[in-house]
Amino acid sequence: MTTDILEKQALAEFNSGHYQEAIKLYKKLLQESDQPEWNEKIAHSYVARAKSFAERGMFREAAELWENHLRFTDTPLDEDFYIVWLIYCNKPDKAIHQLSQLTASQVDKQYAGLAEFIGYQALFLQADFVSTIAHESKFHQHFQLAQQAFKAYQNGDNEQAHALLNQLPFRSAFKNLSLLIKALIDQTGERQTIRTLLEKIPDYSIYAGVAKLLAALLADYGDLPQILNSVSHHQQNIIAKSLGLNKKQIEFIHRIQKLDENASAKVIFNLITTYAAVLPTEPLQRYCEYLLASYPKGIKDFQKKVRKFNVFELNRMQAIQCERQHETFDAREYWENCLEALKKDPEKNALKIALIYRRLADWEFDEEKINLLEQSLDYDATDKDSYKHILTHYQKTPQSSIFRTWLSKSLQQFPQEIDFLIIAVNAAYANKAFKKVTDYASQILKIDPLNTFAKKIMYKSYMARAYQQIEKKQFHLFEAEIERAEKLNLGKQYQHHINLLSGFFVFAAEDKKQGLRLIHQVLIGRYENPILMHFQATVEAMATGVPVSTILKSLPVCANNLISEAGLAQLTEIISLYHEEERHEEINKALEKIKKPLKQSIEKQQYGETVLLKFTETLLNIQHYELLRHVCKFNGASDFDNNIWRYYKVIAKVNGKPEKASFNDRLAMESLLEDAHAEDDRKLEILVNDFLHQFQQFNQVGDFDIINAIFNPNGEQDLDDEEDELDPFDVLFGHLSDAVYFKLEKQADKIVNQYPPEKLAKSLSGIIDERAFLLLIMQQPEIYSALILLKAAEKLKLDIGITQEQVVACYLEANPETPTQFPF
Amino acid sequence: MKSPYQILDVSEDADDALIKKAYLLKIKAHPPEHNQEMFLQIQNAYQTVKDTKSRARYALFNIESIELNEFLQAAFCENNIDRVEPGTLAQLLNQPVDYALVNKTLSKTRK
């Protein structure tokens, strides 16, 4: 091998940290030529190997390797390390000798770390290395000051200690000791100040370990476990003693520290409960309770080792655990148990009881939800949302006494609540209690003077009374109502209505000619198209009891007119307004009058989709299926892509009655539902779902058989449908609300032992042969649960609409191989 | 995860007024333009505990989330000392220094 290659190889080993190999190769090279550079490399390699040995605690070997390096260099490397290794391998004489070789400058400047180490050894480990240090070094003076200061601090003379420490310059082997002592002298101050002083000691100082320990001692808990693990057993004992920790607690801290970062709740829970006896109760309980949410099986251990839960708390914990796992059904049972426990002191626990009722109500619908909310208000009558839900539920029947009661309760509790006042206004309007409408609407306007809803309903109310007065011929009262309506200043459209009604008033009460002129004037001023004039005039004439034909005769003929797109939009608007006023009869009659030109318009005009959709939607609202069909036939369904036309087409065809739909219509709707879902058209999805739901209700019996018969006339079984087969249990009990089902199940648990299968078999002897029944139970064990639920319903006197015969028939149908004997 | 009380920096028995005051201070210190997430967290915390009913709801339907370290801190808060005695310092210093630390000292302080 050539020298060049050997040198390259040696350098590569050196650079890779393979010093032993590097030494061998460089020694080989030296045999060929004594290059100073190669000598240096060998010297560095020896020192590097020495350091590596020292890091593994092999100080003697380290010292020997260092000594070897001297053969290859005139300038010794890292003497400070060598001195430390000599001390660590207990060769003080050699260490003293080596120290004596260092100059004052080396001690004070070059080897500051060594000086700090030697100072520590001399001060606290009684190692006398100080005398060997160069006499001219500042170390001696600083050592004296540090020694005296520490002595003063030990003797409680903090002032003296402080004064001495202040004499130490910044560049001193004892500056970090100075910070340490000053921090402890300053202990009367804020803990944070002490910690800040301690943190000034750099983490590479000889005093860093002790500084961290002191900081941990003075911390609330902090890094104590980590620090305890990094100190000697002796230091642990000192800390434990200072902190008042016993052996078990130290052991616990060590074990906690060794836990994996991702340890499961179960592992932590088990460890903590093992040491329960040495941990303070309150934090232990709280933390265990938190862990139990993720590790519910620990409840038994918790009760055994930590404390007994009270009934409420135990059930609360379990309810929350169930909620977190989305097991609402079980959660409900635990919350019910909580209610039972809390009701033992209802006054004290009123809010909790109310909140639990509301929680339960969140999972319910309709009457069950309302019932729970009503119960919640018995315990906390101040919950606005509960009143809102209850009122919204009952406002479907605004005449009912229950609605009136709840409205009154709600307004009593929240007289300034606009939402409640709106419900009250609507109810009063529906009941035609116009005085109340204006009262409630005035209250709303007092709270919110710009509330448009209140203004509009007041307007409707005044106008309704104005109509009444014309009809009743109480003309003297008419003007006052009209004046009030006018004062609301709702805009042109409303003013037009007021003017028109005034015309009818004049016609009915004062002067027919003058009245006709006024009506004509208002309608001509408002509409360009006679179709619209005829429509509104018809409605108003009917509403005021004025002869329709007389009024219509005075208007331009509408028969040969076509309605423009703007006109159709206007017509849609007027129909909607009258629909809001519930003038159904008048609307239908008026539409009848303009049906011919309207139909012609739909056939001949090319309306934009937006206007036409709005018109169609209005036709659906007023349930005018004849015109709806016409729109679908001539304009909408064929011309536009929007899926909604497919819906209108079917709904128009069946006159809005899903029960009249054919199975083809149902299939069309199902296909539409899929498309609506795919296009994320939520509104259409709701409409179609509603249609299908109603269709289903009217076609429940034999529905599936008919569909199967249509698609599977040969009776071949479609394998894909197997998974969709209905579970008999769901067929029988699927209609029950969760709450009813839960009650049944609870009761069933109580009575199940009273009805062994044999006893049940006997009780069913009139329905099914005993043997056949027992055989059926073996094949369909669920039938037993189903029958027990029926027994539970009997006990609870609940009519769930299922008989034993239906249960048996249902399971027999699901399991046709069972030999049967039907007496019925 | 911090509880709403910890987020607002108030004790669990603080009343409405105190909680509101703490909330206003917090949102002033953490406006949305500085840290939107923090701001929302503070708002959410306030909504959760702002009045008697919301606090009762929180207490009833929540199991407090506690970190292991928080538990240890609470468990050993009694094991605190107000001051380190000179004797303790002497005892701690009267121990050979771990070589790893010495190695660090020598390496880092070299001129």
Side-chain angles (χ1 to χ4, degrees), chain A residues 140 213 302 372:
Chain A
H140 294 287
L213 275 175
F302 182 84
L372 288 163

Side-chain angles (χ1 to χ4, degrees), chain A residues 476-544:
Chain A
H476 60 289
L477 296 172
F478 174 84
E479 276 176 10
E481 297 297 347
I482 283 294
E483 237 174 68
R484 287 187 194 115
E486 256 182 328
K487 271 186 189 163
L488 290 167
N489 281 328
L490 280 169
K492 268 186 188 174
Q493 193 188 334
Y494 293 87
Q495 190 56 48
H496 157 78
H497 192 195
I498 292 169
N499 294 344
L500 187 61
L501 189 60
S502 301
F504 278 92
F505 164 72
V506 173
F507 181 91
E510 295 166 5
D511 179 347
K512 287 203 169 31
K513 266 190 185 174
Q514 172 72 359
L516 276 177
R517 201 167 44 247
L518 275 172
I519 292 165
H520 186 266
Q521 208 177 333
V522 172
L523 288 171
I524 289 273
R526 175 77 175 157
Y527 305 116
E528 284 176 8
N529 196 308
I531 300 176
L532 291 161
M533 298 179 202
H534 278 246
F535 176 79
Q536 195 166 23
T538 310
V539 175
E540 292 296 332
M542 285 179 75
T544 49

Side-chain angles (χ1 to χ4, degrees), chain A residues 179-240:
Chain A
L179 286 169
L180 195 65
I181 299 172
K182 279 181 178 174
L184 297 183
I185 288 173
D186 216 16
Q187 281 183 87
T188 44
E190 286 283 313
R191 278 185 173 197
Q192 187 51 44
T193 321
I194 303 164
R195 283 202 289 269
T196 311
L197 272 174
L198 289 171
E199 277 162 14
K200 279 187 183 169
I201 297 172
D203 66 349
Y204 52 82
S205 163
I206 291 292
Y207 298 96
V210 175
K212 273 188 189 169
L213 275 175
L214 291 173
L217 274 174
L218 294 163
D220 291 334
Y221 178 78
D223 301 326
L224 187 59
Q226 207 181 342
I227 289 165
L228 278 177
N229 270 358
S230 66
V231 299
S232 68
H233 188 69
H234 178 74
Q235 281 175 322
Q236 274 179 18
N237 286 340
I238 298 166
I239 293 167

Side-chain angles (χ1 to χ4, degrees), chain A residues 57-124:
Chain A
M58 297 158 81
F59 300 110
R60 187 179 300 275
E61 290 81 356
E64 278 168 13
L65 281 165
W66 187 88
E67 284 158 9
N68 281 341
H69 101 285
L70 294 174
R71 289 190 281 128
F72 299 91
T73 182
D74 296 331
T75 326
L77 300 167
D78 295 337
E79 287 166 286
D80 50 347
F81 278 89
Y82 178 54
I83 293 166
V84 168
W85 298 335
L86 289 173
I87 293 170
Y88 271 87
C89 68
N90 202 20
K91 289 188 175 173
D93 297 342
K94 263 191 170 183
I96 288 168
H97 172 72
Q98 197 64 31
L99 263 176
S100 66
Q101 302 298 307
L102 298 180
T103 63
S105 165
Q106 279 180 308
V107 174
D108 294 339
K109 291 177 183 166
Q110 191 182 347
Y111 297 134
L114 176 69
E116 191 177 44
F117 174 75
I118 295 296
Y120 184 97
Q121 296 283 318
L123 275 172
F124 305 112

Side-chain angles (χ1 to χ4, degrees), chain A residues 146-172:
Chain A
Q147 198 176 34
Q148 287 167 24
F150 187 69
K151 207 172 173 186
Y153 166 66
Q154 288 286 94
N155 294 334
D157 189 351
N158 289 342
E159 213 172 305
Q160 170 72 359
H162 215 281
L164 286 163
L165 291 171
N166 278 345
Q167 291 178 46
L168 282 169
F170 179 71
R171 289 187 194 287
S172 156

Side-chain angles (χ1 to χ4, degrees), chain A residues 273-444:
Chain A
T273 47
T274 306
Y275 287 90
V278 294
L279 295 169
T281 319
E282 205 265 329
L284 175 69
Q285 277 172 15
R286 281 170 72 145
Y287 191 53
C288 283
E289 283 168 13
Y290 162 67
L291 292 173
L292 282 174
S294 312
Y295 174 53
K297 286 184 182 164
I299 278 185
K300 273 188 186 169
D301 266 351
F302 182 84
Q303 302 233 72
K304 204 164 104 187
K305 294 178 182 172
V306 184
R307 74 164 166 121
K308 284 250 179 275
F309 272 123
N310 61 39
V311 180
F312 163 70
E313 194 57 20
L314 185 62
N315 281 287
R316 185 184 82 91
M317 296 287 308
Q318 285 171 313
I320 294 173
Q321 283 154 18
C322 290
E323 283 184 11
R324 287 185 179 182
Q325 285 147 26
H326 306 289
E327 293 166 356
T328 318
F329 187 79
D330 291 334
R332 185 182 288 118
E333 183 179 352
Y334 291 120
W335 284 126
E336 296 265 11
N337 294 342
C338 284
L339 283 175
E340 216 169 289
L342 291 171
K343 280 181 183 174
K344 286 178 182 157
D345 190 351
E347 265 179 43
K348 186 182 157 198
N349 299 316
L351 185 55
K352 280 182 188 165
I353 296 173
L355 289 171
I356 294 174
Y357 271 126
R358 278 164 209 153
R359 185 72 146 204
L360 296 176
D362 283 345
W363 300 326
E364 292 295 345
F365 299 95
D366 303 327
E367 281 79 14
E368 196 62 40
K369 184 188 189 86
I370 299 307
N371 180 28
L372 288 163
L373 290 175
E374 286 178 5
Q375 290 186 70
S376 86
L377 291 172
D378 289 342
Y379 293 91
D380 164 36
T382 64
D383 190 65
K384 209 182 282 179
D385 281 347
S386 296
Y387 285 109
K388 264 183 206 169
H389 278 296
I390 294 170
L391 281 180
T392 311
H393 177 76
Y394 288 131
Q395 73 175 348
K396 292 167 208 156
T397 51
Q399 287 95 354
S400 65
S401 62
I402 186 123
F403 171 72
R404 282 202 298 274
T405 310
W406 278 105
L407 182 61
S408 150
K409 277 186 190 178
S410 308
L411 286 172
Q412 204 174 347
Q413 195 72 34
F414 301 99
Q416 299 285 307
E417 181 60 37
I418 288 190
D419 285 352
F420 294 160
L421 288 166
I422 287 175
I423 292 173
V425 166
N426 282 329
Y429 188 79
N431 292 337
K432 297 195 191 315
F434 299 120
K435 171 84 174 62
K436 276 190 179 172
V437 172
T438 46
D439 286 350
Y440 288 134
S442 305
Q443 281 185 56
I444 294 175

Side-chain angles (χ1 to χ4, degrees), chain A residues 727-736 786 800 802-803 806-808 810-811:
Chain A
D727 179 351
F729 204 83
D730 287 341
V731 170
L732 290 164
F733 299 103
H735 66 291
L736 299 179
I800 57 170
I802 311 165
T803 61
Q806 284 170 326
V807 173
V808 173
C810 195
Y811 277 93

